[in-house]
Amino acid sequence: MFQSFKARTRPEDGPPRVAALRAEMVRAGVDAFLVPRADRFQGEYVAPRDERLAWLTGFTGSAGFAVVLAESAAIFVDGRYRVQVRAQSDMDTFTPVDWPETKLETWLADMLPGGGVVAYDPWLHTAAEIERLNGALGRRQIALRPEANLVDRIWTDRPGPPEAPARSWPEAYAGLSAEAKLAAVAGDLADAGEDAALVTQPDSICWLLNLRGGDVGHTPLLHAMGLVHRSGRLDLFVAPSKLAGIGLPEGVTAHPEEDLAARLAAATGLVRVDRNSAPQAAVDALSKGTAEVVAGSDPCLLRKARKHPAEIAATTEAHLRDGAAFARFLRWFDETAPGGGLTEIDVVRALEGFRAETGALKDISFDTIAGAGPHGAIVHYRVTEGTNAPVVPGQLFLIDSGAQYEDGTTDITRTLPVGDVGEEERTAFTQVLRGMIAIHRARFPKGVAGAHLDALARAPLWAAGRDFDHGTGHGVGVYLGVHEGPQRLSRVSTVPLEPGMVLSNEPGYYREGAFGIRIENLVVVTEAPPLPGGDAARRMLAFETLTWAPIDRRLIRAGLLCAEERAWLDAYHAGVAERIAPRLDAATAAWLREATRPLGGD
């Protein structure tokens, strides 16, 4: 199986490690040190050697950071992790801080009122972040100082760098050759009057060169950066051993990773840098030479987000394959869970087993979130041997999972009843479902961004005085990251949605200590057909469904749905039966047809 239940850093490990870090701070002559979750690539997943935040604090969430001072320490987390951090970190050592409500610069100004020196590793913080902090802290007479990583000095058994080899990704799935992609990106640079662009995100490199790797868990990334030139040349910075047997396109020259800073210092002309993802150290290296740094987005970002028709076709098949595996799991859960005897880990292993039986599974796309009862209220709960809870009749069970197949990346969440559950749970579930349906049914004009649509998913919850503390949806790659930018459905996303963009649609509701609810499908942005009486000249967009799996009808209060919502749900379930049942054995197909029959009364 792909899920790992290995022991995590224990809270009691925190105090001696923090004490050792404070000793290094004294030797370096600094008053505070920043410990981010990020590695130099600023990705969601990091290699074991880059798990500095987890090693120091015990917290294993995918976002957050810690700040250690001489007499105090804090760990900043957003709404997804406020329950989790208290369970994983030593609360006598670390004070949780609600972020982004409380800004780092505000907190530091309060903790260092007389000024001071805050050290940071310039490879682990983006240029935009350091620029913002410098501006805010400078006004408070607090200095930021780049420093070799102090955690690395005390982490004596730190793992070595990942060594997974790169592998080619079929052009039949990509739709375009690496040469064609390089030419397109080079043309974009020429149109912008720029000489080169620094690409620091591995998923951009993987997309650009039709490569995949294995340097982090669950996402087939190759740790690499690149300098793309307007001529179409690419200087690729990657461990040479990873490219054994890989034929690189003409004009691509591989260099050892450690050569990056020197080659950036030697660059000339106008060089585009995405300050929201490039590490400060890379900008510092460029600034040492004659190159002029131009702020701009990663030139691969939008091209990668707008999936080629071949990519859409590939991931469509991956989702159908995954839907069949998930239907087999749902039948198993439906028949097994109410009888008792299952634990969260049993459920995770069963689901992974059904996916593995497809014969096409490469990995799970993230650590499966399998929360029984109160654990479902922990948005990004990760079960371990120490937290493994029984699946108890009368509870809700939240299962958020995904798979990596060579032809696509999946991400699906369903909330399931274990026997009979209360009316309060059914009411909340129906409110969440109404928000999900609103996104699925949305039609919107070109230029609309995720921030414009996010409220549609929340409106039924808002009407009941409820909400959820995460975005409604994130971008998803094709055999790449299960979380992919820049497209999102969230209050803060200003990126216009475009055809080919794949997103999740996943509203939820969480009652701490009681239950959690989330329903998630993946969708792709498409051109919407014109409507009678509509403005023919106005280009409209819509969402096309990728995920096909039943939504548990037993949790729905049908009387709370309007006619249009009921019609959508019945049509969706008919689509599930039509697409998935032919891929199943007879008994599971019969179960699926029952699970997807038209909705009855309340």
mmCIF file of all heavy atoms in Angstrom, residues 432-444 449-460 468 472-473 488-490 497 503-507 519 521-524 541-545 565 568:
data_model
loop_
_atom_site.group_PDB
_atom_site.id
_atom_site.type_symbol
_atom_site.label_atom_id
_atom_site.label_comp_id
_atom_site.label_asym_id
_atom_site.label_seq_id
_atom_site.Cartn_x
_atom_site.Cartn_y
_atom_site.Cartn_z
ATOM 1 N N VAL A 432 -24.441 21.866 2.427
ATOM 2 C CA VAL A 432 -23.179 21.741 1.703
ATOM 3 C C VAL A 432 -23.440 21.279 0.271
ATOM 4 O O VAL A 432 -22.859 21.805 -0.697
ATOM 5 C CB VAL A 432 -22.230 20.771 2.435
ATOM 6 C CG1 VAL A 432 -20.989 20.479 1.584
ATOM 7 C CG2 VAL A 432 -21.819 21.345 3.791
ATOM 8 N N LEU A 433 -24.316 20.307 0.106
ATOM 9 C CA LEU A 433 -24.639 19.799 -1.221
ATOM 10 C C LEU A 433 -25.215 20.895 -2.108
ATOM 11 O O LEU A 433 -24.863 21.000 -3.294
ATOM 12 C CB LEU A 433 -25.636 18.645 -1.102
ATOM 13 C CG LEU A 433 -26.181 18.072 -2.415
ATOM 14 C CD1 LEU A 433 -25.049 17.504 -3.273
ATOM 15 C CD2 LEU A 433 -27.237 17.016 -2.133
ATOM 16 N N ARG A 434 -26.085 21.732 -1.569
ATOM 17 C CA ARG A 434 -26.668 22.814 -2.359
ATOM 18 C C ARG A 434 -25.570 23.759 -2.868
ATOM 19 O O ARG A 434 -25.622 24.216 -4.019
ATOM 20 C CB ARG A 434 -27.686 23.581 -1.525
ATOM 21 C CG ARG A 434 -28.945 22.796 -1.180
ATOM 22 C CD ARG A 434 -29.933 23.675 -0.445
ATOM 23 N NE ARG A 434 -30.362 24.767 -1.321
ATOM 24 C CZ ARG A 434 -30.671 25.986 -0.882
ATOM 25 N NH1 ARG A 434 -30.586 26.291 0.403
ATOM 26 N NH2 ARG A 434 -31.061 26.909 -1.746
ATOM 27 N N GLY A 435 -24.579 24.040 -2.036
ATOM 28 C CA GLY A 435 -23.476 24.886 -2.471
ATOM 29 C C GLY A 435 -22.650 24.233 -3.560
ATOM 30 O O GLY A 435 -22.226 24.886 -4.531
ATOM 31 N N MET A 436 -22.431 22.932 -3.431
ATOM 32 C CA MET A 436 -21.681 22.213 -4.457
ATOM 33 C C MET A 436 -22.433 22.229 -5.788
ATOM 34 O O MET A 436 -21.847 22.466 -6.854
ATOM 35 C CB MET A 436 -21.445 20.776 -4.000
ATOM 36 C CG MET A 436 -20.664 19.927 -4.988
ATOM 37 S SD MET A 436 -21.017 18.199 -4.742
ATOM 38 C CE MET A 436 -19.834 17.472 -5.856
ATOM 39 N N ILE A 437 -23.734 21.996 -5.735
ATOM 40 C CA ILE A 437 -24.539 22.002 -6.950
ATOM 41 C C ILE A 437 -24.521 23.377 -7.601
ATOM 42 O O ILE A 437 -24.476 23.497 -8.838
ATOM 43 C CB ILE A 437 -25.982 21.552 -6.639
ATOM 44 C CG1 ILE A 437 -26.005 20.077 -6.225
ATOM 45 C CG2 ILE A 437 -26.903 21.791 -7.830
ATOM 46 C CD1 ILE A 437 -27.360 19.584 -5.732
ATOM 47 N N ALA A 438 -24.525 24.438 -6.794
ATOM 48 C CA ALA A 438 -24.507 25.799 -7.345
ATOM 49 C C ALA A 438 -23.268 26.033 -8.195
ATOM 50 O O ALA A 438 -23.341 26.673 -9.261
ATOM 51 C CB ALA A 438 -24.584 26.820 -6.216
ATOM 52 N N ILE A 439 -22.119 25.521 -7.765
ATOM 53 C CA ILE A 439 -20.901 25.667 -8.559
ATOM 54 C C ILE A 439 -21.016 24.838 -9.834
ATOM 55 O O ILE A 439 -20.678 25.305 -10.939
ATOM 56 C CB ILE A 439 -19.668 25.243 -7.741
ATOM 57 C CG1 ILE A 439 -19.437 26.213 -6.567
ATOM 58 C CG2 ILE A 439 -18.424 25.188 -8.633
ATOM 59 C CD1 ILE A 439 -19.069 27.618 -6.966
ATOM 60 N N HIS A 440 -21.475 23.616 -9.720
ATOM 61 C CA HIS A 440 -21.611 22.762 -10.903
ATOM 62 C C HIS A 440 -22.518 23.412 -11.950
ATOM 63 O O HIS A 440 -22.274 23.290 -13.156
ATOM 64 C CB HIS A 440 -22.192 21.404 -10.508
ATOM 65 C CG HIS A 440 -21.162 20.365 -10.210
ATOM 66 N ND1 HIS A 440 -20.449 19.721 -11.184
ATOM 67 C CD2 HIS A 440 -20.725 19.855 -9.034
ATOM 68 C CE1 HIS A 440 -19.615 18.847 -10.632
ATOM 69 N NE2 HIS A 440 -19.766 18.911 -9.323
ATOM 70 N N ARG A 441 -23.572 24.097 -11.523
ATOM 71 C CA ARG A 441 -24.556 24.650 -12.444
ATOM 72 C C ARG A 441 -24.193 26.048 -12.942
ATOM 73 O O ARG A 441 -24.889 26.610 -13.788
ATOM 74 C CB ARG A 441 -25.933 24.714 -11.765
ATOM 75 C CG ARG A 441 -26.509 23.366 -11.396
ATOM 76 C CD ARG A 441 -27.887 23.497 -10.742
ATOM 77 N NE ARG A 441 -28.840 24.082 -11.688
ATOM 78 C CZ ARG A 441 -29.561 25.168 -11.455
ATOM 79 N NH1 ARG A 441 -29.430 25.819 -10.299
ATOM 80 N NH2 ARG A 441 -30.417 25.628 -12.355
ATOM 81 N N ALA A 442 -23.121 26.614 -12.414
ATOM 82 C CA ALA A 442 -22.806 28.016 -12.719
ATOM 83 C C ALA A 442 -22.485 28.220 -14.196
ATOM 84 O O ALA A 442 -21.804 27.405 -14.825
ATOM 85 C CB ALA A 442 -21.636 28.484 -11.864
ATOM 86 N N ARG A 443 -22.983 29.299 -14.755
ATOM 87 C CA ARG A 443 -22.582 29.832 -16.058
ATOM 88 C C ARG A 443 -22.060 31.228 -15.795
ATOM 89 O O ARG A 443 -22.649 31.992 -15.018
ATOM 90 C CB ARG A 443 -23.768 29.886 -17.016
ATOM 91 C CG ARG A 443 -24.291 28.550 -17.481
ATOM 92 C CD ARG A 443 -25.563 28.720 -18.288
ATOM 93 N NE ARG A 443 -25.360 29.582 -19.442
ATOM 94 C CZ ARG A 443 -25.102 29.143 -20.690
ATOM 95 N NH1 ARG A 443 -25.017 27.857 -20.919
ATOM 96 N NH2 ARG A 443 -24.943 29.977 -21.692
ATOM 97 N N PHE A 444 -20.979 31.594 -16.450
ATOM 98 C CA PHE A 444 -20.363 32.874 -16.129
ATOM 99 C C PHE A 444 -19.622 33.408 -17.343
ATOM 100 O O PHE A 444 -19.139 32.638 -18.183
ATOM 101 C CB PHE A 444 -19.414 32.730 -14.936
ATOM 102 C CG PHE A 444 -18.457 31.574 -15.033
ATOM 103 C CD1 PHE A 444 -17.177 31.740 -15.542
ATOM 104 C CD2 PHE A 444 -18.843 30.306 -14.616
ATOM 105 C CE1 PHE A 444 -16.300 30.675 -15.635
ATOM 106 C CE2 PHE A 444 -17.966 29.217 -14.713
ATOM 107 C CZ PHE A 444 -16.697 29.410 -15.224
ATOM 108 N N ALA A 449 -13.392 35.406 -12.193
ATOM 109 C CA ALA A 449 -12.364 34.696 -11.434
ATOM 110 C C ALA A 449 -13.011 33.879 -10.320
ATOM 111 O O ALA A 449 -14.212 33.989 -10.044
ATOM 112 C CB ALA A 449 -11.368 35.697 -10.847
ATOM 113 N N GLY A 450 -12.192 33.077 -9.665
ATOM 114 C CA GLY A 450 -12.693 32.239 -8.585
ATOM 115 C C GLY A 450 -13.343 33.029 -7.466
ATOM 116 O O GLY A 450 -14.296 32.558 -6.841
ATOM 117 N N ALA A 451 -12.848 34.229 -7.199
ATOM 118 C CA ALA A 451 -13.417 35.046 -6.127
ATOM 119 C C ALA A 451 -14.864 35.418 -6.408
ATOM 120 O O ALA A 451 -15.655 35.640 -5.486
ATOM 121 C CB ALA A 451 -12.580 36.314 -5.929
ATOM 122 N N HIS A 452 -15.224 35.514 -7.696
ATOM 123 C CA HIS A 452 -16.593 35.871 -8.055
ATOM 124 C C HIS A 452 -17.564 34.717 -7.822
ATOM 125 O O HIS A 452 -18.761 34.942 -7.625
ATOM 126 C CB HIS A 452 -16.662 36.291 -9.528
ATOM 127 C CG HIS A 452 -15.776 37.441 -9.865
ATOM 128 N ND1 HIS A 452 -14.870 37.399 -10.896
ATOM 129 C CD2 HIS A 452 -15.643 38.663 -9.294
ATOM 130 C CE1 HIS A 452 -14.213 38.547 -10.959
ATOM 131 N NE2 HIS A 452 -14.662 39.321 -9.995
ATOM 132 N N LEU A 453 -17.070 33.486 -7.869
ATOM 133 C CA LEU A 453 -17.938 32.311 -7.769
ATOM 134 C C LEU A 453 -17.964 31.691 -6.383
ATOM 135 O O LEU A 453 -18.891 30.936 -6.050
ATOM 136 C CB LEU A 453 -17.491 31.251 -8.783
ATOM 137 C CG LEU A 453 -17.505 31.664 -10.257
ATOM 138 C CD1 LEU A 453 -17.011 30.512 -11.130
ATOM 139 C CD2 LEU A 453 -18.896 32.090 -10.693
ATOM 140 N N ASP A 454 -16.966 31.970 -5.580
ATOM 141 C CA ASP A 454 -16.822 31.320 -4.278
ATOM 142 C C ASP A 454 -18.077 31.448 -3.427
ATOM 143 O O ASP A 454 -18.484 30.504 -2.741
ATOM 144 C CB ASP A 454 -15.610 31.917 -3.550
ATOM 145 C CG ASP A 454 -15.388 31.307 -2.181
ATOM 146 O OD1 ASP A 454 -14.855 30.190 -2.120
ATOM 147 O OD2 ASP A 454 -15.759 31.953 -1.176
ATOM 148 N N ALA A 455 -18.725 32.603 -3.464
ATOM 149 C CA ALA A 455 -19.898 32.828 -2.614
ATOM 150 C C ALA A 455 -21.062 31.921 -2.989
ATOM 151 O O ALA A 455 -21.924 31.648 -2.143
ATOM 152 C CB ALA A 455 -20.333 34.293 -2.684
ATOM 153 N N LEU A 456 -21.127 31.460 -4.234
ATOM 154 C CA LEU A 456 -22.213 30.566 -4.624
ATOM 155 C C LEU A 456 -22.214 29.304 -3.768
ATOM 156 O O LEU A 456 -23.280 28.787 -3.400
ATOM 157 C CB LEU A 456 -22.077 30.184 -6.101
ATOM 158 C CG LEU A 456 -22.188 31.313 -7.134
ATOM 159 C CD1 LEU A 456 -21.974 30.738 -8.533
ATOM 160 C CD2 LEU A 456 -23.528 32.012 -7.035
ATOM 161 N N ALA A 457 -21.033 28.800 -3.468
ATOM 162 C CA ALA A 457 -20.930 27.581 -2.673
ATOM 163 C C ALA A 457 -21.228 27.816 -1.205
ATOM 164 O O ALA A 457 -21.604 26.884 -0.484
ATOM 165 C CB ALA A 457 -19.528 26.988 -2.821
ATOM 166 N N ARG A 458 -21.076 29.039 -0.749
ATOM 167 C CA ARG A 458 -21.255 29.338 0.670
ATOM 168 C C ARG A 458 -22.657 29.839 1.021
ATOM 169 O O ARG A 458 -23.057 29.795 2.189
ATOM 170 C CB ARG A 458 -20.225 30.392 1.103
ATOM 171 C CG ARG A 458 -18.788 29.947 0.930
ATOM 172 C CD ARG A 458 -17.793 31.047 1.291
ATOM 173 N NE ARG A 458 -16.441 30.677 0.918
ATOM 174 C CZ ARG A 458 -15.601 30.003 1.705
ATOM 175 N NH1 ARG A 458 -15.990 29.643 2.920
ATOM 176 N NH2 ARG A 458 -14.393 29.686 1.292
ATOM 177 N N ALA A 459 -23.388 30.314 0.008
ATOM 178 C CA ALA A 459 -24.662 30.979 0.291
ATOM 179 C C ALA A 459 -25.628 30.128 1.118
ATOM 180 O O ALA A 459 -26.224 30.645 2.078
ATOM 181 C CB ALA A 459 -25.306 31.434 -1.014
ATOM 182 N N PRO A 460 -25.830 28.839 0.819
ATOM 183 C CA PRO A 460 -26.742 28.060 1.666
ATOM 184 C C PRO A 460 -26.276 27.946 3.113
ATOM 185 O O PRO A 460 -27.093 27.919 4.034
ATOM 186 C CB PRO A 460 -26.771 26.688 0.982
ATOM 187 C CG PRO A 460 -26.380 26.964 -0.440
ATOM 188 C CD PRO A 460 -25.375 28.061 -0.344
ATOM 189 N N PHE A 468 -17.247 27.762 6.100
ATOM 190 C CA PHE A 468 -16.108 26.866 6.206
ATOM 191 C C PHE A 468 -14.836 27.670 5.963
ATOM 192 O O PHE A 468 -14.839 28.662 5.230
ATOM 193 C CB PHE A 468 -16.211 25.676 5.240
ATOM 194 C CG PHE A 468 -16.457 26.034 3.795
ATOM 195 C CD1 PHE A 468 -15.407 26.166 2.903
ATOM 196 C CD2 PHE A 468 -17.758 26.207 3.330
ATOM 197 C CE1 PHE A 468 -15.633 26.482 1.574
ATOM 198 C CE2 PHE A 468 -17.997 26.508 1.999
ATOM 199 C CZ PHE A 468 -16.940 26.648 1.114
ATOM 200 N N THR A 472 -13.122 27.123 -1.709
ATOM 201 C CA THR A 472 -14.100 26.209 -2.298
ATOM 202 C C THR A 472 -13.443 25.255 -3.282
ATOM 203 O O THR A 472 -13.917 24.128 -3.457
ATOM 204 C CB THR A 472 -15.210 27.015 -2.997
ATOM 205 O OG1 THR A 472 -15.908 27.782 -2.012
ATOM 206 C CG2 THR A 472 -16.186 26.127 -3.723
ATOM 207 N N GLY A 473 -12.355 25.668 -3.908
ATOM 208 C CA GLY A 473 -11.727 24.782 -4.877
ATOM 209 C C GLY A 473 -10.326 25.201 -5.232
ATOM 210 O O GLY A 473 -9.958 26.369 -5.115
ATOM 211 N N ARG A 488 -8.152 29.056 -8.885
ATOM 212 C CA ARG A 488 -8.741 28.627 -7.618
ATOM 213 C C ARG A 488 -10.171 29.128 -7.549
ATOM 214 O O ARG A 488 -10.540 30.093 -8.224
ATOM 215 C CB ARG A 488 -7.969 29.210 -6.417
ATOM 216 C CG ARG A 488 -6.559 28.724 -6.265
ATOM 217 C CD ARG A 488 -5.782 29.577 -5.275
ATOM 218 N NE ARG A 488 -6.367 29.546 -3.930
ATOM 219 C CZ ARG A 488 -6.013 30.377 -2.948
ATOM 220 N NH1 ARG A 488 -5.113 31.320 -3.180
ATOM 221 N NH2 ARG A 488 -6.559 30.276 -1.766
ATOM 222 N N LEU A 489 -10.963 28.495 -6.705
ATOM 223 C CA LEU A 489 -12.263 29.015 -6.315
ATOM 224 C C LEU A 489 -12.123 29.448 -4.861
ATOM 225 O O LEU A 489 -12.179 28.622 -3.950
ATOM 226 C CB LEU A 489 -13.356 27.944 -6.453
ATOM 227 C CG LEU A 489 -13.654 27.429 -7.859
ATOM 228 C CD1 LEU A 489 -14.655 26.274 -7.802
ATOM 229 C CD2 LEU A 489 -14.190 28.549 -8.742
ATOM 230 N N SER A 490 -11.878 30.717 -4.659
ATOM 231 C CA SER A 490 -11.680 31.216 -3.300
ATOM 232 C C SER A 490 -11.924 32.711 -3.282
ATOM 233 O O SER A 490 -11.959 33.367 -4.330
ATOM 234 C CB SER A 490 -10.261 30.931 -2.803
ATOM 235 O OG SER A 490 -9.334 31.832 -3.358
ATOM 236 N N LEU A 497 -10.930 32.541 -14.902
ATOM 237 C CA LEU A 497 -11.038 31.146 -15.297
ATOM 238 C C LEU A 497 -11.091 31.044 -16.818
ATOM 239 O O LEU A 497 -11.737 31.860 -17.481
ATOM 240 C CB LEU A 497 -12.280 30.528 -14.677
ATOM 241 C CG LEU A 497 -12.315 30.539 -13.145
ATOM 242 C CD1 LEU A 497 -13.595 29.904 -12.634
ATOM 243 C CD2 LEU A 497 -11.102 29.842 -12.551
ATOM 244 N N LEU A 503 -10.473 22.236 -11.836
ATOM 245 C CA LEU A 503 -10.592 22.698 -10.454
ATOM 246 C C LEU A 503 -11.392 21.693 -9.640
ATOM 247 O O LEU A 503 -12.177 20.910 -10.167
ATOM 248 C CB LEU A 503 -11.307 24.056 -10.371
ATOM 249 C CG LEU A 503 -10.669 25.221 -11.099
ATOM 250 C CD1 LEU A 503 -11.504 25.580 -12.312
ATOM 251 C CD2 LEU A 503 -10.515 26.425 -10.189
ATOM 252 N N SER A 504 -11.193 21.769 -8.328
ATOM 253 C CA SER A 504 -12.065 21.025 -7.424
ATOM 254 C C SER A 504 -13.235 21.905 -7.022
ATOM 255 O O SER A 504 -13.164 23.136 -7.071
ATOM 256 C CB SER A 504 -11.305 20.575 -6.173
ATOM 257 O OG SER A 504 -10.951 21.693 -5.365
ATOM 258 N N ASN A 505 -14.316 21.271 -6.643
ATOM 259 C CA ASN A 505 -15.515 21.933 -6.136
ATOM 260 C C ASN A 505 -15.838 21.232 -4.835
ATOM 261 O O ASN A 505 -16.372 20.118 -4.835
ATOM 262 C CB ASN A 505 -16.647 21.809 -7.160
ATOM 263 C CG ASN A 505 -17.996 22.275 -6.613
ATOM 264 O OD1 ASN A 505 -18.078 22.942 -5.580
ATOM 265 N ND2 ASN A 505 -19.058 21.909 -7.313
ATOM 266 N N GLU A 506 -15.486 21.839 -3.686
ATOM 267 C CA GLU A 506 -15.530 21.103 -2.424
ATOM 268 C C GLU A 506 -15.937 21.960 -1.220
ATOM 269 O O GLU A 506 -15.157 22.149 -0.290
ATOM 270 C CB GLU A 506 -14.185 20.439 -2.151
ATOM 271 C CG GLU A 506 -12.966 21.359 -2.248
ATOM 272 C CD GLU A 506 -11.667 20.631 -1.948
ATOM 273 O OE1 GLU A 506 -11.614 19.901 -0.931
ATOM 274 O OE2 GLU A 506 -10.718 20.785 -2.738
ATOM 275 N N PRO A 507 -17.166 22.443 -1.175
ATOM 276 C CA PRO A 507 -17.614 23.115 0.045
ATOM 277 C C PRO A 507 -17.721 22.123 1.198
ATOM 278 O O PRO A 507 -17.745 20.896 0.994
ATOM 279 C CB PRO A 507 -18.983 23.669 -0.348
ATOM 280 C CG PRO A 507 -19.445 22.776 -1.448
ATOM 281 C CD PRO A 507 -18.209 22.374 -2.201
ATOM 282 N N ILE A 519 -18.052 17.543 0.381
ATOM 283 C CA ILE A 519 -18.382 16.822 -0.842
ATOM 284 C C ILE A 519 -17.539 17.452 -1.947
ATOM 285 O O ILE A 519 -17.557 18.676 -2.109
ATOM 286 C CB ILE A 519 -19.877 16.932 -1.201
ATOM 287 C CG1 ILE A 519 -20.766 16.719 0.028
ATOM 288 C CG2 ILE A 519 -20.234 15.932 -2.293
ATOM 289 C CD1 ILE A 519 -22.222 17.060 -0.219
ATOM 290 N N ASN A 521 -16.099 17.148 -6.064
ATOM 291 C CA ASN A 521 -15.907 16.657 -7.426
ATOM 292 C C ASN A 521 -14.862 17.531 -8.114
ATOM 293 O O ASN A 521 -14.674 18.697 -7.734
ATOM 294 C CB ASN A 521 -17.191 16.752 -8.243
ATOM 295 C CG ASN A 521 -18.170 15.633 -7.951
ATOM 296 O OD1 ASN A 521 -17.859 14.670 -7.257
ATOM 297 N ND2 ASN A 521 -19.376 15.761 -8.486
ATOM 298 N N LEU A 522 -14.228 17.006 -9.143
ATOM 299 C CA LEU A 522 -13.397 17.818 -10.018
ATOM 300 C C LEU A 522 -14.204 18.206 -11.253
ATOM 301 O O LEU A 522 -15.035 17.439 -11.735
ATOM 302 C CB LEU A 522 -12.129 17.077 -10.440
ATOM 303 C CG LEU A 522 -11.157 16.683 -9.333
ATOM 304 C CD1 LEU A 522 -9.817 16.251 -9.935
ATOM 305 C CD2 LEU A 522 -10.955 17.784 -8.312
ATOM 306 N N VAL A 523 -13.930 19.409 -11.738
ATOM 307 C CA VAL A 523 -14.620 19.944 -12.914
ATOM 308 C C VAL A 523 -13.582 20.579 -13.832
ATOM 309 O O VAL A 523 -12.476 20.919 -13.397
ATOM 310 C CB VAL A 523 -15.679 20.997 -12.519
ATOM 311 C CG1 VAL A 523 -16.800 20.365 -11.698
ATOM 312 C CG2 VAL A 523 -15.049 22.162 -11.746
ATOM 313 N N VAL A 524 -13.949 20.760 -15.092
ATOM 314 C CA VAL A 524 -13.090 21.447 -16.041
ATOM 315 C C VAL A 524 -13.885 22.589 -16.667
ATOM 316 O O VAL A 524 -15.072 22.432 -16.978
ATOM 317 C CB VAL A 524 -12.534 20.487 -17.117
ATOM 318 C CG1 VAL A 524 -13.638 19.788 -17.885
ATOM 319 C CG2 VAL A 524 -11.581 21.214 -18.055
ATOM 320 N N LEU A 541 -18.916 30.786 -20.084
ATOM 321 C CA LEU A 541 -18.196 29.581 -19.691
ATOM 322 C C LEU A 541 -19.037 28.798 -18.692
ATOM 323 O O LEU A 541 -19.973 29.331 -18.087
ATOM 324 C CB LEU A 541 -16.841 29.933 -19.081
ATOM 325 C CG LEU A 541 -15.898 30.779 -19.946
ATOM 326 C CD1 LEU A 541 -14.640 31.130 -19.158
ATOM 327 C CD2 LEU A 541 -15.535 30.050 -21.229
ATOM 328 N N ALA A 542 -18.678 27.536 -18.517
ATOM 329 C CA ALA A 542 -19.378 26.672 -17.566
ATOM 330 C C ALA A 542 -18.403 25.598 -17.093
ATOM 331 O O ALA A 542 -17.234 25.575 -17.498
ATOM 332 C CB ALA A 542 -20.612 26.050 -18.215
ATOM 333 N N PHE A 543 -18.884 24.731 -16.230
ATOM 334 C CA PHE A 543 -18.072 23.624 -15.714
ATOM 335 C C PHE A 543 -18.598 22.294 -16.244
ATOM 336 O O PHE A 543 -19.805 22.045 -16.245
ATOM 337 C CB PHE A 543 -18.096 23.592 -14.186
ATOM 338 C CG PHE A 543 -17.430 24.768 -13.532
ATOM 339 C CD1 PHE A 543 -18.150 25.605 -12.696
ATOM 340 C CD2 PHE A 543 -16.092 25.033 -13.747
ATOM 341 C CE1 PHE A 543 -17.542 26.689 -12.076
ATOM 342 C CE2 PHE A 543 -15.465 26.118 -13.142
ATOM 343 C CZ PHE A 543 -16.199 26.944 -12.300
ATOM 344 N N GLU A 544 -17.681 21.451 -16.669
ATOM 345 C CA GLU A 544 -18.011 20.087 -17.078
ATOM 346 C C GLU A 544 -17.468 19.129 -16.026
ATOM 347 O O GLU A 544 -16.342 19.286 -15.547
ATOM 348 C CB GLU A 544 -17.390 19.791 -18.448
ATOM 349 C CG GLU A 544 -17.717 18.422 -19.003
ATOM 350 C CD GLU A 544 -17.143 18.249 -20.393
ATOM 351 O OE1 GLU A 544 -17.445 19.092 -21.270
ATOM 352 O OE2 GLU A 544 -16.382 17.283 -20.601
ATOM 353 N N THR A 545 -18.241 18.141 -15.654
ATOM 354 C CA THR A 545 -17.880 17.223 -14.569
ATOM 355 C C THR A 545 -16.828 16.216 -15.013
ATOM 356 O O THR A 545 -16.901 15.662 -16.112
ATOM 357 C CB THR A 545 -19.136 16.476 -14.083
ATOM 358 O OG1 THR A 545 -20.098 17.433 -13.638
ATOM 359 C CG2 THR A 545 -18.807 15.534 -12.945
ATOM 360 N N GLU A 565 -32.147 21.956 -8.277
ATOM 361 C CA GLU A 565 -31.102 21.200 -7.577
ATOM 362 C C GLU A 565 -31.392 19.702 -7.629
ATOM 363 O O GLU A 565 -30.481 18.889 -7.856
ATOM 364 C CB GLU A 565 -30.997 21.685 -6.138
ATOM 365 C CG GLU A 565 -30.439 23.103 -6.013
ATOM 366 C CD GLU A 565 -30.651 23.728 -4.648
ATOM 367 O OE1 GLU A 565 -31.551 23.250 -3.909
ATOM 368 O OE2 GLU A 565 -29.944 24.698 -4.325
ATOM 369 N N TRP A 568 -30.608 18.466 -11.091
ATOM 370 C CA TRP A 568 -29.169 18.311 -11.324
ATOM 371 C C TRP A 568 -28.670 17.030 -10.674
ATOM 372 O O TRP A 568 -27.920 16.257 -11.296
ATOM 373 C CB TRP A 568 -28.388 19.506 -10.760
ATOM 374 C CG TRP A 568 -26.919 19.351 -11.031
ATOM 375 C CD1 TRP A 568 -26.220 19.800 -12.106
ATOM 376 C CD2 TRP A 568 -25.965 18.627 -10.213
ATOM 377 N NE1 TRP A 568 -24.901 19.409 -12.026
ATOM 378 C CE2 TRP A 568 -24.719 18.684 -10.885
ATOM 379 C CE3 TRP A 568 -26.048 17.947 -9.009
ATOM 380 C CZ2 TRP A 568 -23.571 18.086 -10.367
ATOM 381 C CZ3 TRP A 568 -24.899 17.329 -8.495
ATOM 382 C CH2 TRP A 568 -23.679 17.406 -9.177
#
